[in-house]
Amino acid sequence: MTLGGYANRIARINLTSLTVEYDQVPKELLRKYIGARGLGVKFVFDNGPKVDPLSPDNLMAVMIGPCTGSAVPMSGRLAIVTKSPLTGTITDSHMGGFTAARLRWAGFDGLLIKGRAWRPVYLVVENGTVRIEDASHLWGLGVRATVRALQEKYGRENTSVMAIGPAGERLVRFAGWLNEHDRASGRGGTGAVGGSKNLKAIVIIGDRSGQPQPLPERKEAFQEAVRMGQKAIMAAALTAPNKGGLSLYGTNVLMNILNEAGSLPTRNAKESHFEHGEAISGEAFREFNLASEPVCHACPVHCKKEVEVKEGRWKAKTESMEYETAWALGALCGLGDREPLVYMLDQCNDYGLDTIEMGVTLAMAMEASEKGLTPEVINWGDAEKMSELIRKTAYREGFGDILANGAYGAACLLGDPDIALSVKGQAIPAYDPRGVQGIGLGYATSNRGACHLRGYTIASEIAGIPFPTDRTVTEGKAELLKTFQDLFGFLDSMDVCKFASFAQGAEEFSAQVRALTGFDDITPEEAMRIGERVYNLERHYNNLNGFTGKDDTLPKRFFTEPATHNSAGMLSQLPVMLEEYYRLRGWKDGVVPEEKLKELEII
Ligand code: SF4
């Protein structure tokens, strides 16, 4: 079978028996789930929802989509889909850079990894084959040293290395995978799943010359679709290279905007405005700490901001100071000093930790300390203490062993779960759901625990894309969120960077997939339906694990303690939006009924 866009090859890797088999994905399955997130969710679902996330039976699917590595703008994404040890839900976490493109060029659509090796191993993916190699000499190393050692052996040219650090090896529940450019599959604990399999790294060697590359099915239509996409990105207010806010300042362009709106959760969301916000904004990092502006495959935007502290206690150089990181380790912990933030980001990158969960966990610990619940004192904004606790968490030393459970798990152990800013066990990102109503509904209904990337209503509520909505009202937010969630279900399956949606929509994305794959019936409406199918299958997986409407909620604080500053007095109005959302989804109390599964051809 040939099909434009796909390598038509997946590897099934069993680390217990140290064997690799090669397979094809049936065309009907590709048409229904496209690739990356969608196809990965289908594989993980078929593996059985009841599996223990840290057992050899859990499937870790490393997936790319038909657009990956092609000329489609921003098509350098790779999804790790698995059952999360942090939340017990299904999760998918996407990494940028060039790793994804190299996996396509090495001749694969995905790697399906199961089992547990009897000793540490790494994979080498090259020319349509996968080898399993001994990683005993790498075990215990940070991500950087692991990458360096493997690059020395396999070269830098055409090679990408993704690895776990000490946190993944020690099964820290929010450990992630990082590649040679510090791009992270950060959320949901996919690194701990790698650690549980004794899988230290994946080396991917691939350029366009090694393997026959999949060609677009409709060449001229594809070139036109790519041209249209590029044109839109070059012209859009946020993405225009060297002009748009995202291009100039990275995602941290949001710091001053959310702070001004009184929607920047501060000191564990006891406040929603940070007096030192400007000092840790994208503008300030650009002025004082910018080292370089790297990109991902086929992206003109350069949103990544490598930052540097050249000397002194906090000397470090690392990618990328995202808004979420500057917020989680900064405002949320009461820290307004850029230099330790650079250092701590570097620590998290090398240990292989999700910066969002780490920051929210530390902020929770600071509040717990105020209440006398912690074995040691942790003051707001104490950078030395934070840095020490990040290291202890990665190595599960002392109090770090408690923090290694993430904000919610650690708060439960400390005896006060209400102070964890988490949904379904995963920490919230950097937008206060009291001052921005729609995103609160997004956190509550996200299938992988609190998340802004399932349905980024912020685009509309803050940036006015694709049309402006009032952040303070609830009307229309259920429909807005559902539209974003379904669109992203499709986009994550292509797999294209979410920021592409600041310039394009279902029309452009479906045209790219149509021309590439030859699936001519994927209209914009059908693209949305595919996204809806993915979202419902994830929800069904979670339902089979016992998740219901009771889990679609927010931390208590957002219902009982009003926001401050320019959102003064506001509380989340989640229940109003949730009722409307369930009606639009056709769900009953957060559960997908059988007729909906049939309607979407899931069963
Ligand atoms: S916008 Fe940023 S994250 Fe997205 S593909 Fe471009 S450089 Fe990578």
Side-chain angles (χ1 to χ4, degrees):
M1 176 194 77
T2 59
L3 199 57
Y6 296 98
N8 197 22
R9 191 171 177 83
I10 54 165
R12 294 184 186 274
I13 299 146
N14 186 323
L15 292 177
T16 304
S17 58
L18 300 177
T19 53
V20 183
E21 290 173 2
Y22 302 99
D23 205 351
Q24 298 181 346
V25 184
K27 187 173 175 182
E28 312 77 66
L29 220 51
L30 295 174
R31 168 62 186 77
K32 269 175 101 171
Y33 293 101
I34 303 296
R37 173 176 166 191
L39 200 55
V41 166
K42 175 66 176 156
F43 284 134
V44 170
F45 183 88
D46 288 348
N47 187 54
K50 293 287 189 186
V51 69
D52 174 346
L54 295 177
S55 77
D57 291 336
N58 192 14
L59 174 69
M60 191 178 98
V62 180
M63 302 296 299
I64 55 177
C67 298
T68 310
S70 75
V72 169
M74 303 182 173
S75 58
R77 307 293 289 180
L78 172 149
I80 300 182
V81 191
T82 191
K83 187 172 187 181
S84 164
L86 183 68
T87 61
T89 66
I90 199 162
T91 194
D92 63 291
S93 188
H94 298 241
M95 168 190 289
F98 292 85
T99 311
R102 296 209 185 286
L103 185 56
R104 158 72 68 244
W105 301 337
F108 285 98
D109 297 316
L111 311 172
L112 304 181
I113 304 166
K114 278 188 76 170
R116 175 183 290 146
W118 65 273
R119 65 178 177 186
V121 295
Y122 67 94
L123 305 179
V124 182
V125 184
E126 185 177 18
N127 276 331
T129 63
V130 177
R131 301 194 306 275
I132 304 170
E133 302 281 356
D134 180 12
S136 303
H137 61 298
L138 302 173
W139 205 251
L141 297 182
V143 169
R144 299 275 160 62
T146 305
V147 167
R148 254 195 323 271
L150 291 169
Q151 282 182 331
E152 270 165 29
K153 188 170 169 70
Y154 295 98
R156 285 165 181 268
E157 195 87 343
N158 306 324
T159 301
S160 184
V161 179
M162 49 188 277
I164 60 167
E169 292 176 11
R170 285 162 182 77
L171 312 184
V172 172
R173 287 183 185 271
F174 53 96
W177 284 84
L178 285 100
N179 68 13
E180 68 278 9
H181 292 122
D182 295 338
R183 309 295 164 78
S185 285
R187 305 231 71 192
T190 60
V193 175
S196 76
K197 298 185 177 310
N198 272 333
L199 179 62
K200 177 70 179 173
I202 304 176
V203 180
I204 304 172
I205 305 167
D207 65 13
R208 290 182 180 89
S209 64
Q211 278 286 111
Q213 294 304 312
L215 296 170
E217 207 65 25
R218 317 255 179 270
K219 193 172 165 207
E220 280 175 21
F222 181 66
Q223 284 170 344
E224 179 57 16
V226 167
R227 228 182 346 260
M228 294 303 288
Q230 285 167 341
K231 207 171 145 192
I233 289 163
M234 302 305 260
L238 270 178
T239 55
N242 302 317
K243 273 197 277 179
L246 181 66
S247 182
L248 279 174
Y249 305 113
T251 52
N252 203 11
V253 67
L254 287 164
M255 181 68 73
N256 285 333
I257 299 169
L258 270 295
N259 202 24
E260 183 52 28
S263 296
L264 185 75
T266 299
R267 295 185 188 85
N268 211 29
K270 297 208 283 187
E271 303 148 71
S272 54
H273 175 81
F274 186 40
E275 65 278 16
H276 303 300
E278 205 166 339
I280 57 169
S281 65
E283 289 86 337
F285 275 108
R286 183 174 187 91
E287 187 175 349
F288 299 107
N289 303 93
L290 188 66
S292 72
E293 297 175 88
V295 273
C296 303
H297 165 76
C299 181
V301 179
H302 290 256
C303 87
K304 296 291 143 196
K305 304 299 162 198
E306 188 185 38
V307 286
E308 183 175 19
V309 175
K310 290 201 168 115
E311 55 192 26
R313 163 69 181 93
W314 305 112
K315 186 172 185 290
K317 188 175 181 183
T318 194
E319 272 189 54
S320 168
M321 187 54 78
E322 306 293 342
Y323 169 54
E324 308 296 336
T325 302
W327 161 78
L329 295 166
L332 197 73
C333 291
L335 176 65
D337 187 348
R338 283 185 309 282
E339 295 200 349
L341 284 177
V342 173
Y343 187 87
M344 286 189 264
L345 167 61
D346 190 45
Q347 281 186 295
C348 289
N349 285 346
D350 198 38
Y351 296 147
L353 288 165
D354 172 20
T355 54
I356 299 178
E357 191 73 39
M358 189 71 249
V360 176
T361 304
L362 288 171
M364 179 283 298
M366 288 168 185
E367 185 168 345
S369 173
E370 276 185 338
K371 293 180 161 191
L373 298 174
T374 51
E376 46 195 290
V377 175
I378 312 156
N379 292 318
W380 297 106
D382 182 344
E384 288 291 350
K385 189 74 184 168
M386 289 172 69
S387 175
E388 178 196 329
L389 287 175
I390 290 171
R391 186 186 57 75
K392 284 185 166 173
T393 301
Y395 287 94
R396 283 188 175 270
E397 278 176 28
F399 185 47
D401 193 37
I402 289 178
L403 301 181
N405 292 292
Y408 182 74
C412 289
L413 291 171
L414 295 174
D416 194 353
D418 284 347
I419 59 173
L421 301 180
S422 307
V423 178
K424 300 185 184 80
Q426 178 162 279
I428 66 157
Y431 314 87
D432 197 309
R434 294 168 292 200
V436 192
Q437 292 290 322
I439 200 68
L441 180 65
Y443 295 168
T445 59
S446 159
N447 288 329
R448 70 168 189 177
C451 176
H452 55 304
L453 295 172
R454 306 295 87 182
Y456 196 59
T457 61
I458 293 296
S460 169
E461 296 181 289
I462 296 292
I465 300 170
F467 50 81
T469 52
D470 184 340
R471 66 179 172 86
T472 66
V473 307
T474 57
E475 290 78 24
K477 295 299 170 65
E479 192 178 352
L480 181 74
L481 177 68
K482 180 180 178 297
T483 303
F484 270 114
Q485 287 175 338
D486 292 348
L487 180 69
F488 287 179
F490 185 72
L491 197 56
D492 282 342
S493 304
M494 290 171 69
D495 185 346
V496 163
C497 174
K498 295 229 171 48
F499 302 148
S501 69
F502 293 152
Q504 305 166 82
E507 190 151 337
E508 291 86 351
F509 297 138
S510 61
Q512 290 159 7
V513 171
R514 260 196 323 273
L516 191 55
T517 62
F519 289 136
D520 292 329
D521 58 343
I522 300 185
T523 58
E525 297 71 33
E526 181 57 18
M528 296 299 283
R529 186 172 138 82
I530 292 169
E532 185 178 11
R533 179 180 297 130
V534 173
Y535 213 81
N536 276 267
L537 181 57
E538 291 171 346
R539 175 58 62 139
H540 183 43
Y541 183 99
N542 291 347
N543 291 155
L544 293 172
N545 277 291
F547 289 89
T548 65
K550 73 176 180 342
D551 302 293
D552 290 340
T553 188
L554 289 170
K556 189 175 164 194
R557 169 157 294 156
F558 298 126
F559 300 122
T560 56
E561 298 174 38
T564 58
H565 194 64
N566 286 334
S567 293
M570 290 186 68
L571 293 168
S572 170
Q573 305 297 324
L574 176 68
V576 188
M577 296 183 284
L578 198 54
E579 200 181 320
E580 170 73 354
Y581 176 84
Y582 285 163
R583 194 184 62 69
L584 290 170
R585 280 263 176 235
W587 295 351
K588 297 192 173 101
D589 190 29
V591 176
V592 192
E594 197 177 320
E595 60 267 26
K596 191 75 192 173
L597 293 171
K598 283 185 178 151
E599 182 196 316
L600 291 167
E601 298 170 82
I602 289 171
I603 57 172

